[in-house]
């Protein structure tokens, strides 16, 4: 269709400019006999006759031109009024499109969106990311439209690099993700979360006593948070708590993460190739664990270990078929990938903002001490305790608003649709971003200010705060993530206050936001240590 429209304009051009090239000579010149004509027998009469014939021909030619001109005008008008109006925007460089501008380390992703929104349209613009032409919907209305049209107009989509690295078996990525979201919804439902709270609490205390306990009380909060959230994932998803085993699994994860949004050319040494190798290494590590778990479940009828892996092993599809080893390994690999870096980033930004805002720190401390004082010191936290941490929850939400760990997600258009007056055709991809509304002053006055009170009462307007996405594909780990951070903050703040060792530490976007030096902090033991965790016994807890 686009070619057609271009051709129509080409026709326009020809018909507008053609008369300039074939315009007849003025009649006045033909009535006088040029001096050179007489010797070769051209008389005034022959000239007059000839002139009349020429005039007729010119008239006919002009009428013909006029007819063609009118026809072309009608055609162009027809196509112009009936052709779809695509979202305005640029597709940037060949292949890479505008990807590098979105994932530029030194700019927050909201700048990318704001610039184009101002230039093209406030609701939707066209760009090219991950090798695909995409529409970017960038307002609360756009978020609502997308999240409520999953499986009707759009389905979730992943760039080829991500699909190749995280999915080893054939089959539609969208179908697999749909199937897996059922497992996750069940595994992370509120009732199940109750079981995980004491387990996570016990792990927080263990990590604070070991990893966070240094001679000079200085630690790098981001890498240590990552180590902690990865260990929690291994425990909750697979019941693995041997630290060496956890370390062996965690090592290749950095390579997997680096390959996810790389150019999908499998050439040795590239991020993509390293990502594939690292993911295969993890699958090879997971396979014997899956086999062992399957053996226990079926031979020994041992059901006392309901982790994610056992949960999947016990499930069958509508035809009574179990998932293959490869699919189970892919699902667990994906769960660890989705859950550890995202939560670690959110956790470390909570510490980052608390260090900068002593007033907020004081309110969180007060709330957490109230929870601590309401319990016997030797008791682990439970879900009800976490429900009481309302202000701390607002602090987590505000950190997620200012530094959303996930930049957004992609969709594939399965049916043409019109949005804000622009047509998005079937086959296009869509990008939605957690950064499109999170700092809009219309919804968050003084948007750069860290202000947890925004989340009091009814909180932000619908579809303006979307760190976990929305609709049918919303992150099933949202509440799990908040619980993990609340528990961590509880144990840390009742034991320490902390200060940043680099006060103005820069944040880079890769595209996840990361404190460039890993957030080095000094932990200062609080004077009133009545409720610190140091005096608590490390309680042995059952696997989930
Ligand atoms: C702060 C932490 C986290 C953030 C910011 C986050 C963010 C997101 C986002 C933006 C999506 C895409 C939603 C969409 O496409 O509409 C997503 C999907 C997903 N997340 Fe999370 N996530 C976090 C933690 C977790 C955790 C802890 C788990 C698992 C325990 C998890 C598991 C998943 C899964 C399985 C999906 C795919 C859902 C589907 O396709 O149906 N996430 N997450």
């Amino acid at each position: 269709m686009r070619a057609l429209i271009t051709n129509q304009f080409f026709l326009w051009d020809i018909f507008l400019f053609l008369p300039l090239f074939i315009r007849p000579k003025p009649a006045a010149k033909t009535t006088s006999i040029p001096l050179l004509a007489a010797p070769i027998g051209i008389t005034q009469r022959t000239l007059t006759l000839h002139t009349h014939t020429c005039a007729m021909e010119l008239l006919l030619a002009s009428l013909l031109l006029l007819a063609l001109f009118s026809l072309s005008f009608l055609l162009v008008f027809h196509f112009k009024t009936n052709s779809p109006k695509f979202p305005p925007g640029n597709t940037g460089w060949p292949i890479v499109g505008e990807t590098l501008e979105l994932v530029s380390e030194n700019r927050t992703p909201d700048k990318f969106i704001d610039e184009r929104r101002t230039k093209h349209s406030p609701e939707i613009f066209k760009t090219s990311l991950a090798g695909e032409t995409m529409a970017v919907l960038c307002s609360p209305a756009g978020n609502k439209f997308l999240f409520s049209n999953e499986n009707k107009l759009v389905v979730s989509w992943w760039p080829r690099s991500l699909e190749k690295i995280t999915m080893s078996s054939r089959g539609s990525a969208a179908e697999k993700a749909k199937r897996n979201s059922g497992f996750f919804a069940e595994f992370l439902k509120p009732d199940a979360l109750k079981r995980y709270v004491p387990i996570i609490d016990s792990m927080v205390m263990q990590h604070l006593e070991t990893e966070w306990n240094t001679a000079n009380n200085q630690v790098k909060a981001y890498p240590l948070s990552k180590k902690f959230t990865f260990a929690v994932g291994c425990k909750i998803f697979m019941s693995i708590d041997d630290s060496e085993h956890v370390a062996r699994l965690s090592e290749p994860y950095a390579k997997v993460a680096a390959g996810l949004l790389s150019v999908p050319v499998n050439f040795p040494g590239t991020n993509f190739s390293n990502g594939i190798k690292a993911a295969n290494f993890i699958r090879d590590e997971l396979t014997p664990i899956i086999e062992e778990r399957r053996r226990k479940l079926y031979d020994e009828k041992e059901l006392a270990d309901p982790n994610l892996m056992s949960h999947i092993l016990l499930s069958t599809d509508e035809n009574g078929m179990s998932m293959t080893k490869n699919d189970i390994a892919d699902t667990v690999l994906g769960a660890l990938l989705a859950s550890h870096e995202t939560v670690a980033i959110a956790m470390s930004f909570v510490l980052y903002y608390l260090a900068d805002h002593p007033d907020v720190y004081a309110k969180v401390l007060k709330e957490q001490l109230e929870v601590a004082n309401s319990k016997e010191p030797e008791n682990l936290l439970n879900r009800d305790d976490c429900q009481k941490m309302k202000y701390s929850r607002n602090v987590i939400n505000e950190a997620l608003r200012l530094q959303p760990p996930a930049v957004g997600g992609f969709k594939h258009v399965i049916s043409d649709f019109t949005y804000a007056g622009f047509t998005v055709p079937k086959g296009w991809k869509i990008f939605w971003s957690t950064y499109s509304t999170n700092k809009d002053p219309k919804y968050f006055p003084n948007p750069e200010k860290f202000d947890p009170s925004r989340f009091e009462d009814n909180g932000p307007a619908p579809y303006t705060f979307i760190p976990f996405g929305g609709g049918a594909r919303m992150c099933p780990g949202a509440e799990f993530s908040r619980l993990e951070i609340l528990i961590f903050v509880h144990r840390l703040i009742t034991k320490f206050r902390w200060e940043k060792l680099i006060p103005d530490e820069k944040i880079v976007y890769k595209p996840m936001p990361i404190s460039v030096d890993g957030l080095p902090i000094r932990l200062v033991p609080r004077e009133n240590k009545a409720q610190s965790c140091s005096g608590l016994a490390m309680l042995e807890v059952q696997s989930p």
Side-chain angles (χ1 to χ4, degrees), residues 147 156 158 177-178 181 184 188 237 335 338-340 342-343 346 400 404-406 408-411 432 434 466-470 472-478 480-481 484-485:
F147 295 152
S156 289
W158 296 267
K178 211 161 131 191
S181 73
F184 283 108
L188 297 166
F237 301 149
S339 66
H340 87 284
T342 47
V343 182
L400 284 168
F410 300 102
K411 307 270 179 204
W432 63 267
T434 51
I466 49 164
F468 296 102
R473 310 317 298 272
M474 182 176 161
C475 173
F480 181 92
S481 310
E484 202 175 340
I485 303 170

Side-chain angles (χ1 to χ4, degrees), residues 105-158:
E105 264 190 38
N106 297 318
R107 278 157 41 104
T108 51
D110 51 293
K111 296 275 181 299
F112 174 88
I113 294 170
D114 279 351
E115 279 166 14
R116 282 153 187 81
R117 193 194 313 208
T118 312
K119 196 163 155 197
H120 305 303
S121 143
E123 291 288 337
I124 183 170
F125 63 84
K126 179 182 72 175
T127 183
S128 168
L129 303 172
E132 301 273 351
T133 300
M134 297 207 180
V136 182
L137 271 65
C138 44
S139 70
N143 295 336
K144 182 176 181 189
F145 180 87
L146 274 187
F147 295 152
S148 46
N149 276 306
E150 183 78 34
N151 298 326
K152 293 177 208 153
L153 300 176
V154 295
V155 289
S156 289
W157 176 83
W158 296 267

Side-chain angles (χ1 to χ4, degrees), residues 349-394:
F349 275 109
V350 168
L351 306 192
Y352 179 102
Y353 288 114
L354 284 178
D356 282 349
H357 297 83
D359 52 328
V360 179
Y361 173 95
K363 285 187 189 169
V364 173
L365 176 63
K366 182 172 175 285
E367 180 175 84
Q368 295 300 343
L369 284 178
E370 274 165 20
V371 173
N373 291 333
S374 70
K375 297 177 70 70
E376 291 302 319
E378 66 277 11
N379 283 352
L380 290 168
L381 289 173
N382 58 42
R383 185 90 203 275
D384 290 343
D385 296 324
C386 296
Q387 302 290 70
K388 293 176 194 156
M389 304 175 183
K390 292 201 165 50
Y391 184 75
S392 310
R393 185 176 275 267
N394 293 346

Side-chain angles (χ1 to χ4, degrees), residues 125-286:
F125 63 84
K126 179 182 72 175
T127 183
S128 168
L129 303 172
E132 301 273 351
T133 300
M134 297 207 180
V136 182
L137 271 65
C138 44
S139 70
N143 295 336
K144 182 176 181 189
F145 180 87
L146 274 187
F147 295 152
S148 46
N149 276 306
E150 183 78 34
N151 298 326
K152 293 177 208 153
L153 300 176
V154 295
V155 289
S156 289
W157 176 83
W158 296 267
R160 221 170 86 80
S161 51
L162 196 144
E163 194 180 320
K164 283 269 162 206
I165 291 175
T166 59
M167 295 177 196
S168 58
S169 62
R170 285 163 180 253
S172 144
E175 281 303 316
K176 285 182 189 171
K178 211 161 131 191
R179 174 200 60 198
N180 288 353
S181 73
F183 289 130
F184 283 108
E186 181 66 20
F187 185 71
L188 297 166
K189 65 184 181 191
D191 238 22
L193 292 179
K194 271 189 201 159
R195 284 204 308 269
Y196 310 142
V197 172
I199 296 167
I200 297 173
D201 193 18
S202 153
M203 290 183 75
V204 172
M205 290 196 287
Q206 190 191 359
H207 272 245
L208 287 182
E209 285 291 337
T210 52
E211 312 288 342
W212 293 66
N213 191 359
T214 60
N216 60 2
N217 275 345
Q218 293 185 10
V219 291
K220 283 199 170 189
Y222 171 58
L224 284 185
S225 299
K226 218 156 87 167
K227 199 166 180 183
F228 167 70
T229 53
F230 194 78
V232 169
C234 288
K235 176 81 177 170
I236 303 278
F237 301 149
M238 298 178 285
S239 302
I240 294 179
D241 41 20
D242 168 44
S243 56
E244 270 179 36
H245 199 171
V246 172
R248 201 166 60 243
L249 280 173
S250 82
E251 229 164 74
Y253 259 91
K255 287 191 180 152
V256 172
L260 292 181
L261 291 179
S262 58
V263 180
V265 177
N266 198 352
F267 197 70
T270 56
N271 278 348
F272 181 65
S273 163
N274 292 342
I276 288 188
K277 272 193 214 137
N280 286 339
F281 174 88
I282 296 169
R283 283 187 198 97
D284 289 346
E285 285 281 316
L286 293 180

Side-chain angles (χ1 to χ4, degrees), residues 1-6 9 79-91 119-127 133-137 413 415-430:
M1 181 57 76
R2 245 177 309 168
L4 210 69
I5 293 167
T6 320
F9 280 111
F79 280 112
K80 254 189 96 79
T81 46
N82 291 293
S83 66
K85 202 164 118 196
F86 298 110
N90 297 322
T91 46
K119 196 163 155 197
H120 305 303
S121 143
E123 291 288 337
I124 183 170
F125 63 84
K126 179 182 72 175
T127 183
T133 300
M134 297 207 180
V136 182
L137 271 65
V413 180
S415 181
D416 292 5
F417 65 81
T418 301
Y419 176 77
F422 296 101
T423 297
V424 182
K426 180 177 170 179
W428 271 38
K429 305 292 180 274
I430 294 203

